[in-house]
């Protein structure tokens, strides 16, 4: 078995709990493998049952059955583990040398069990013994040929007793065992941090894969709708359709490529972190204090990784706003047909909206079916509940939406003034109201019969070719889009784009003041 193949197979057959080759491997429902005893120990000490690798939680404790195929593969692997060819032999033995059990740092000899007993008897256990090592010179002061028993904190190096009373006489020195204990604690903290980084990146991979799948489904749905939209148009429309599909395909491919690259980068970081984790795990259990001190500077350096907290793949969803821009380019020859198609697309998300009397300003009169509102010009005696508008002639719908897309239409025929749009649930309804997006209102208004405005942070004047009789309102919650549409002329009025919705949105209506009968016409939900 080649070294590379052995190394790769060793990593694949390693339990992520004990970091050793599997013993009686079992599989979780999510597809990950662990030693049976390791997994049982995790679950015995926990109130919940989740996968230690991907953290997926199971409602009931899964029944663990040994993965016989994997167990056979582990057995074959263990039979082919390369034998260790280098070991320390006794320096005292004549003829065939036995394996050394200990090394004396003072005598600088390796001893088998027989000669170790003699050595200890003669030296009366005063010499310092360590486990056999091949690099004994690293444990001996090269200047004085004495054991490195102390650590100089001033120079951050290991020294012998003679060094401590000569070159390091006034320095702060401690026993290597003491400094090793301090460094071991710090390394365990690093070890914990590395494990958390591994978990976070594995979770990020799962999130990216899930997001990529959802976006791919959305992209496929949008492509199907686009094909249906352009199917009955002439050659110029077919060209537009081809360009639009190509753009969507490029976005999808770019998103998939980006996801693959992100996953590849994350997997590379996980491989490196696993390597560091294994090194930290191995060194954390060593009794070789000097070796720990010598390797500590390298292992204590933070792993070179990126921050993935805000990383996500590009959106592939075809927005209504993008579609609107595409249709505008063809307006000269295809305005009627394309605008009708847009309306049909919005109407796929039509909802049944009724007015909520508990939110209505006391002057407003609402029909019994909740579909009509007008200003009665006479303030009614109503309870001032927390949700009621008390100064402005406004009312909200009973229905609120905190996801997806929704569409409703309102007849504004015969009115000189009106307000339409959506409001977030926590928007102010008391006293003087500021109806801007930052205050939770996304609306357009009519003033003085022909002055149309979109209420942004500063009002935006709207130039409309015809006076709308029925206004359609379309909202895409996830995309942050609120679009207003002239239903009869099949034309776009205005869109609030790139908004950030975090609360329920309620359709918002204001028939405005009666103006002594000039504005008495009602708003009607069609």
């Amino acid at each position: 078995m080649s070294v590379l193949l052995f190394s790769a197979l060793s990593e694949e057959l390693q339990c992520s709990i004990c970091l050793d080759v599997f013993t009686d491997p079992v599989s979780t429902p999510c597809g990950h493998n662990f030693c049976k005893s390791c997994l049982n120990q995790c679950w015995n000490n926990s109130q919940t049952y989740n996968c230690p690798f991907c953290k997926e939680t199971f409602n009931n404790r899964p029944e663990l059955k040994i993965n016989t195929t994997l167990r056979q593969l582990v057995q074959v692997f263990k039979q082919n583990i390369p034998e260790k060819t280098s070991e320390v032999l006794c320096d005292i033995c004549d003829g065939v040398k036995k394996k050394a059990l200990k090394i004396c740092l003072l005598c600088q000899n390796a001893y088998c069990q027989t000669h170790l007993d003699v050595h200890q008897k003669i030296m009366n256990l005063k010499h310092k013994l360590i486990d056999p090592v091949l690099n004994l010179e690293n444990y001996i002061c090269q200047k004085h040929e004495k054991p490195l028993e102390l650590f100089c904190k001033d120079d951050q190096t290991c020294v012998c007793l003679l060094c401590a009373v000569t070159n390091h006489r006034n320095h702060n020195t401690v026993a290597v065992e003491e400094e090793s204990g301090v460094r071991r604690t710090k390394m365990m903290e690093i070890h914990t941090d590395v494990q958390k980084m591994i978990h976070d990146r594995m979770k990020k991979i799962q999130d990216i894969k899930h997001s990529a799948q959802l976006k791919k489904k959305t992209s496929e749905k949008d492509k199907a709708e686009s094909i249906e939209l352009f199917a009955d148009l002439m050659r110029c429309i077919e060209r537009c359709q081809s360009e639009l599909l190509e753009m969507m395909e490029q976005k999808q491919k770019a998103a998939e490529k980006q996801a693959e690259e992100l996953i590849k980068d994350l997997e590379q970081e996980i491989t490196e972190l696993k390597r560091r984790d294994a090194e930290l795990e191995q060194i954390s259990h060593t009794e070789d204090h000097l070796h720990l001190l010598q390797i500590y500077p390298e292992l204590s350096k933070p792993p070179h990784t990126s921050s993935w907290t805000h990383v996500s793949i590009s959106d592939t969803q075809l927005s209504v706003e993008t579609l609107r821009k595409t249709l505008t380019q063809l307006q000269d020859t295809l305005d009627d047909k394309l605008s009708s198609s847009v309306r049909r697309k919005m109407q796929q998300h039509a909802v049944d909206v009724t007015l909520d009397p508990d939110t209505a300003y006391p002057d407003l009169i609402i029909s019994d079916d909740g579909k009509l509102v007008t200003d009665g010009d006479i303030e009614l005696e109503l309870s001032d509940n927390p949700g009621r508008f008390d100064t402005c002639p406004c009312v909200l719908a009973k229905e609120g939406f905190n996801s997806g897309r929704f569409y409703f239409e309102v007849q504004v025929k015969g009115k000189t003034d009106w307000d339409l749009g959506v409001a977030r649930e926590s928007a102010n309804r008391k006293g003087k109201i500021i109806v801007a997006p930052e205050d939770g209102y996304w609306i357009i208004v009519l003033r003085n019969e022909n002055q149309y405005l979109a209420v942004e942070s500063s009002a935006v004047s709207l130039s409309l070719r015809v006076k709308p009789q029925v206004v359609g309102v379309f909202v895409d919650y996830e995309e942050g889009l609120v679009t207003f549409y002239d239903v009869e002329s099949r034309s776009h009025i205005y869109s609030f784009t790139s908004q950030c919705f975090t609360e329920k949105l309620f359709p918002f209506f204001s028939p405005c003041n009666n103006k002594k009968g000039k504005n008495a016409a009602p708003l009607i939900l069609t």
Side-chain angles (χ1 to χ4, degrees):
M1 184 182 297
S2 69
V3 175
L4 289 177
L5 178 58
F6 175 83
S7 177
L9 190 56
S10 174
E11 186 172 333
E12 291 298 322
L13 297 179
Q14 186 182 79
C15 172
S16 60
I17 298 176
C18 66
L19 300 179
D20 203 351
V21 178
F22 290 124
T23 301
D24 292 333
V26 294
S27 302
T28 60
C30 55
H32 297 117
N33 301 305
F34 307 89
C35 297
K36 185 176 181 180
S37 60
C38 293
L39 190 55
N40 279 328
Q41 185 176 2
C42 283
W43 286 350
N44 290 339
N45 298 329
S46 175
Q47 298 294 328
T48 59
Y49 308 115
N50 53 28
C51 174
F53 189 85
C54 68
K55 303 304 178 184
E56 180 176 344
T57 301
F58 313 113
N59 294 330
N60 298 312
R61 181 165 180 164
E63 182 180 357
L64 299 178
K65 295 183 178 180
I66 294 177
N67 188 327
T68 55
T69 302
L70 185 56
R71 183 172 62 180
Q72 292 173 355
L73 181 59
V74 169
Q75 291 173 347
V76 173
F77 171 79
K78 288 182 176 179
Q79 292 171 0
N80 289 273
I81 293 178
E83 295 182 359
K84 295 182 179 179
T85 58
S86 58
E87 59 182 20
V88 179
L89 301 178
C90 178
D91 292 323
I92 312 302
C93 289
D94 294 327
V96 179
K97 293 184 177 294
K98 297 180 180 179
K99 180 179 178 181
L101 190 65
K102 292 289 182 180
I103 290 180
C104 176
L105 290 179
L106 286 176
C107 301
Q108 298 184 29
N109 286 325
Y111 298 98
C112 64
Q113 183 64 63
T114 301
H115 292 104
L116 178 63
D117 294 339
V118 175
H119 173 269
Q120 289 181 304
K121 183 177 181 180
I122 295 174
M123 298 306 174
N124 197 23
L125 300 177
K126 291 181 180 180
H127 288 195
K128 185 171 184 178
L129 301 174
I130 65 171
D131 291 332
V133 292
L134 293 173
N135 55 337
L136 181 60
E137 64 275 6
N138 292 340
Y139 294 75
I140 304 298
C141 175
Q142 299 301 306
K143 183 176 181 180
H144 301 111
E145 296 187 355
K146 298 292 182 181
L148 298 172
E149 300 181 81
L150 301 174
F151 181 79
C152 177
K153 290 193 173 184
D154 293 345
D155 294 335
Q156 293 291 297
T157 186
C158 295
V159 298
C160 70
L161 291 173
L162 287 177
C163 290
V165 298
T166 55
N167 297 339
H168 301 265
R169 181 172 54 190
N170 297 321
H171 293 185
N172 181 15
T173 57
V174 296
V176 292
E177 291 82 0
E178 179 182 340
E179 185 65 20
S180 175
V182 174
R183 301 285 179 101
R184 188 190 305 274
T185 300
K186 293 181 179 179
M187 288 178 63
M188 289 307 299
E189 293 175 356
I190 298 172
H191 176 58
T192 301
D193 291 341
V194 169
Q195 287 184 323
K196 184 179 184 301
M197 293 169 71
I198 292 173
H199 172 262
D200 291 344
R201 279 150 182 76
M202 288 179 172
K203 179 64 167 60
K204 193 64 180 181
I205 287 178
Q206 296 298 321
D207 292 344
I208 290 175
K209 288 181 177 179
H210 181 65
S211 178
Q213 291 174 352
L214 292 179
K215 292 181 183 299
K216 184 175 182 179
K217 289 180 181 179
T218 303
S219 177
E220 293 299 328
K221 181 180 179 180
D222 282 339
K223 285 190 286 185
E225 292 176 352
S226 298
I227 292 174
E228 180 181 358
L229 173 63
F230 287 101
D232 60 342
L233 301 180
M234 300 176 66
R235 190 182 316 182
C236 59
I237 296 298
E238 293 174 348
R239 182 176 65 251
C240 178
Q241 176 190 17
S242 176
E243 293 173 354
L244 183 62
L245 291 176
E246 182 179 357
M247 177 192 69
M248 294 167 60
E249 196 68 33
Q250 289 175 350
K251 289 177 69 176
Q252 175 60 32
K253 288 181 179 179
E256 291 178 346
K257 182 179 179 181
Q258 182 186 14
E260 292 174 357
E261 291 174 349
L262 289 173
I263 291 172
K264 182 179 178 181
D265 290 344
L266 281 163
E267 289 176 340
Q268 288 177 347
E269 286 197 8
I270 288 173
T271 300
E272 178 60 25
L273 288 170
K274 280 185 175 180
R275 183 191 66 77
R276 174 66 66 86
D277 185 57
E279 291 176 350
L280 290 169
E281 175 70 20
Q282 181 181 2
I283 198 65
S284 67
H285 294 294
T286 184
E287 296 299 324
D288 189 339
H289 307 294
L290 188 58
H291 178 59
L292 184 147
L293 293 177
Q294 291 170 339
I295 201 172
Y296 174 82
E298 181 63 26
L299 292 183
S300 64
K301 295 178 182 178
H304 180 68
T305 56
S306 304
S307 174
W308 297 93
T309 304
H310 302 291
V311 174
S312 61
I313 63 175
S314 303
D315 193 5
T316 61
Q317 183 176 357
L318 176 64
S319 67
V320 174
E321 182 65 11
T322 301
L323 182 59
R324 186 192 65 77
K325 290 179 180 179
T326 303
L327 300 180
T328 302
Q329 296 174 358
L330 301 169
Q331 186 172 359
D332 291 342
T333 56
L334 306 167
D335 185 65
D336 289 344
K337 182 171 277 190
L338 291 180
S339 296
S340 297
S341 297
V342 171
R343 184 187 176 195
R344 288 196 300 270
K345 183 179 178 68
M346 292 181 177
Q347 287 177 328
Q348 292 175 2
H349 305 283
V351 293
D352 186 18
V353 175
T354 54
L355 302 170
D356 184 0
D358 291 337
T359 66
Y361 177 66
D363 272 13
L364 299 184
I365 300 174
I366 297 175
S367 63
D368 292 339
D369 62 0
K371 297 293 185 181
L372 180 152
V373 60
T374 187
D375 182 44
D377 212 17
I378 299 176
E379 186 170 335
L380 304 176
E381 292 185 3
L382 300 173
S383 60
D384 185 20
N385 62 62
R388 187 182 302 283
F389 292 92
D390 64 354
T391 302
C392 302
C394 309
V395 62
L396 299 180
K398 292 180 179 180
E399 297 78 17
F401 306 87
N402 57 4
S403 64
R405 303 170 181 176
F406 62 94
Y407 173 81
F408 59 93
E409 295 180 353
V410 184
Q411 179 179 308
V412 296
K413 182 177 180 180
K415 297 193 65 61
T416 63
D417 300 82
W418 49 257
D419 300 355
L420 284 179
V422 293
R424 68 180 178 219
E425 188 170 19
S426 66
N428 179 39
R429 307 177 196 180
K430 303 298 183 181
K432 184 179 180 180
I433 296 174
I434 301 175
V435 285
E438 55 264 32
D439 297 291
Y441 290 91
W442 293 266
I443 69 171
I444 61 172
V445 305
L446 168 64
R447 294 292 183 267
N448 303 320
E449 294 192 52
N450 55 17
Q451 185 182 7
Y452 293 93
L453 302 171
V455 187
E456 292 272 14
S457 298
S458 57
V460 178
S461 180
L462 306 176
S463 299
L464 306 183
R465 292 180 296 173
V466 295
K467 186 178 178 70
Q469 304 299 304
V470 179
V471 176
V473 183
F474 176 80
V475 177
D476 188 324
Y477 193 95
E478 281 73 23
E479 188 177 319
L481 172 69
V482 181
T483 288
F484 298 87
Y485 187 77
D486 184 340
V487 175
E488 292 189 356
S489 67
R490 299 183 296 277
S491 60
H492 172 258
I493 298 176
Y494 188 77
S495 290
F496 294 90
T497 60
S498 302
Q499 304 299 304
C500 182
F501 302 134
T502 58
E503 302 177 25
K504 267 190 177 182
L505 297 179
F506 290 83
F508 169 89
F509 314 90
S510 175
C512 295
N513 294 326
N514 186 286
K515 288 190 173 181
K516 298 182 179 180
K518 292 183 180 180
N519 191 36
L523 292 177
I524 303 174
L525 279 66
T526 63

